[in-house]
Amino acid sequence: MQDSYNKAAFFLNDNKRRFPSKIEINEHIEQTPQIELISIPSAVGQAKQATDILQSLIDNNHLSPEKAINTAIVLPDEELLLPMLYSIPPEISTVNITMGYTLQHTTVAALMESIYQMQRRVRFSKGEPRFYHLDVKQLLGHRFIASRIGEKAYQITNFINENNRTFVSPKELGNHRLIKLLFLIPRTTDEAATYLIELLEYLQQGGNRSDSSGAYYITVKRLRDVIAKQDIEMTVETFFRLLGKMAVSISIPFQGEPLSGLQIMGVLETRALDFDNLIILSMNEGVF
């Protein structure tokens, strides 16, 4: 506003002239915030850079690891939440997250997308399904699946590679319970919903429950109930596509202590709050 050539303040200065304040205001700014712009070529690199800034604040006594409430990390791009969480310095023991994480970006959503791709590319020979080798390998390599079937995943992948198989039959995949649940071909939307529900129930057994798996489980059941109640007819492919669209709008909440620890939040959550140290990632046009 003090720069007469700055067009951004044109209307503000005009209002100031037309509607002067009744209160005497000292317009001289004693101390301006220190702002540093850093260019980083990759998204994960931004999280690493934020870590370096946090470490620098700790080393220079500008940030107390035990009481980091005066420092906030703002994530306009929610996909950077997990890279940021994995990059926080070990000295900071308490973190409060006041933003949701979209179900679409979770590990279970990636598994569902792999299942959808497998279902799309299945072929039939003499009435028996054949699964494309890349889809089989990708599913067996997913950490939810690999952690449950162990050495069997390596054996199947090795069999496919050694025999140069393009398509694999169910018999060649073996009799493991999870394999039988995973490599099924639902014919109707009700069968597709039951297929996913049984698969998610199996994956959540044995103390492997997660918020994302639970949220996806609920989403599938709700979609099945709506389809049945409204008597909606759709193909299995449409069912999977609709499920993927629903995952975009579902947010998984985090629990934390709002009055202590490093604050990690989205842009909207910063309203009416003030921090001594503010680290904003993704300050790009079209993102922020």
Side-chain angles (χ1 to χ4, degrees):
M1 289 180 66
Q2 296 172 4
D3 182 2
S4 59
Y5 293 98
N6 191 337
K7 294 182 180 180
F10 178 81
F11 291 105
L12 288 175
N13 279 314
D14 185 51
N15 286 337
K16 178 184 169 185
R17 178 184 60 79
R18 294 171 60 193
F19 310 105
S21 174
K22 293 184 179 181
I23 303 172
E24 188 68 26
I25 299 176
N26 180 13
E27 296 185 0
H28 179 68
I29 301 174
E30 298 290 342
Q31 182 178 0
T32 58
Q34 295 181 358
I35 301 175
E36 182 180 6
L37 301 178
I38 303 174
S39 178
I40 303 293
S42 69
V44 176
Q46 294 186 53
K48 298 295 184 183
Q49 182 64 44
T51 303
D52 293 342
I53 296 172
L54 288 172
Q55 192 64 58
S56 176
L57 291 172
I58 294 173
D59 295 341
N60 295 317
N61 297 321
H62 295 306
L63 169 62
S64 170
E66 299 82 16
K67 298 180 181 179
I69 191 172
N70 290 327
T71 299
I73 297 176
V74 182
L75 302 178
D77 181 2
E78 62 184 14
E79 290 190 37
L80 291 182
L81 178 57
L82 291 185
M84 189 66 246
L85 289 178
Y86 285 120
S87 303
I88 293 174
E91 293 93 331
I92 300 177
S93 58
T94 307
V95 177
N96 180 51
I97 305 172
T98 53
M99 62 182 292
Y101 191 64
T102 307
L103 187 59
Q104 178 193 22
H105 300 133
T106 60
T107 306
V108 69
L111 174 61
M112 293 298 128
E113 180 61 26
S114 297
I115 290 173
Y116 169 55
Q117 291 297 334
M118 179 266 288
Q119 295 287 343
R120 283 182 60 219
R121 293 197 281 206
V122 69
R123 297 291 183 270
F124 286 88
S125 176
K126 298 179 181 179
E128 188 179 45
R130 296 288 188 272
F131 302 99
Y132 190 51
H133 70 107
L134 291 180
D135 297 329
V136 175
K137 292 176 183 177
Q138 185 169 3
L139 282 169
L140 294 178
H142 191 282
R143 66 182 184 92
F144 279 8
I145 306 300
S147 63
R148 300 304 294 271
I149 64 177
E151 185 69 18
K152 187 66 178 176
Y154 171 77
Q155 292 174 1
I156 296 172
T157 302
N158 198 41
F159 168 81
I160 294 172
N161 293 335
E162 288 182 350
N163 293 276
N164 198 27
R165 291 298 181 89
T166 303
F167 287 90
V168 188
S169 70
K171 294 178 181 178
E172 293 167 332
L173 294 172
N175 297 316
H176 191 282
R177 169 65 175 158
L178 180 54
I179 293 291
K180 286 186 169 294
L181 282 174
L182 186 59
F183 292 98
L184 287 177
I185 308 300
R187 304 287 184 175
T188 65
T189 53
D190 187 64
E191 288 183 6
T194 303
Y195 161 67
L196 293 179
I197 288 171
E198 290 181 353
L199 180 61
L200 288 168
E201 285 177 344
Y202 183 90
L203 292 174
Q204 292 188 88
Q205 293 173 2
N208 290 324
R209 288 181 173 273
S210 67
D211 290 340
S212 57
S213 296
Y216 222 106
Y217 178 84
I218 294 172
T219 303
V220 175
K221 293 196 72 173
R222 285 177 177 170
L223 180 57
R224 181 183 66 177
D225 293 343
V226 169
I227 292 173
K229 184 177 181 180
Q230 303 297 331
D231 195 23
I232 301 171
E233 292 186 8
M234 67 174 67
T235 63
V236 173
E237 181 177 357
T238 302
F239 175 82
F240 277 106
R241 285 180 177 273
L242 185 57
L243 195 59
K245 294 289 185 182
M246 292 175 67
V248 176
S249 60
I250 297 173
S251 183
I252 303 172
F254 289 88
Q255 294 181 348
E257 173 52 58
L259 299 180
S260 68
L262 177 69
Q263 305 294 304
I264 299 181
M265 55 185 63
V267 178
L268 294 179
E269 286 79 12
T270 64
R271 291 175 295 183
L273 298 180
D274 189 25
F275 299 94
D276 294 338
N277 310 305
L278 197 60
I279 303 171
I280 307 177
L281 280 68
S282 306
M283 279 293 294
N284 308 69
E285 182 177 2
V287 181
F288 184 84

